[in-house]
Amino acid sequence: MSGRHPFQELTSDFAPDRRRRIDAIKRDLLARMPLHELRRARALTQQELAERLKVSQPAVAKMEQRADVYVSSLRSYVEAVGGQLKIVAEFPEGEVAITNFSQIDDEVP
């Protein structure tokens, strides 16, 4: 016997409260995904993404490692992996979607 068990089998006896805590942690981790993990989750290599963005593979690697990225670059990256960028400000009273970044490329002459 290899000693391996399916993950589902290993977690089948978790109490409902523990399962809810684990599910909340999973949702939080998925909601806070770095760019390189987002790309990998979409089953794309840096080279494939570079071709979509019409940049070099090293440029994609550099973008994924930067802490400070232009909104337009981030939007292009997200769109290239099949998503849509939304910028939301969170306040104690609620969330506000910031919209003035959405059409910036269309306004530039």
Side-chain angles (χ1 to χ4, degrees), residues 10 21 25-26 29 40 67-68 70 88 91:
L10 295 172
R21 285 194 316 269
I25 291 168
K26 282 188 343 188
L29 289 172
R40 288 180 184 162
D68 189 13
Y70 285 116
V88 177
F91 297 95

Side-chain angles (χ1 to χ4, degrees), residues 39-58:
R39 175 184 47 77
R40 288 180 184 162
R42 302 294 293 174
L44 291 167
T45 65
Q46 285 183 342
Q47 184 60 45
E48 290 167 331
L49 185 56
E51 290 168 7
R52 289 182 182 190
L53 291 170
K54 296 179 176 52
V55 299
S56 66
Q57 177 273 324

Side-chain angles (χ1 to χ4, degrees), residues 83-104:
Q84 180 181 3
L85 181 65
K86 294 182 181 181
I87 299 176
V88 177
E90 294 180 359
F91 297 95
E93 304 83 10
E95 296 181 347
V96 176
I98 309 297
T99 60
N100 60 312
F101 296 116
S102 62
Q103 299 300 320
I104 198 164

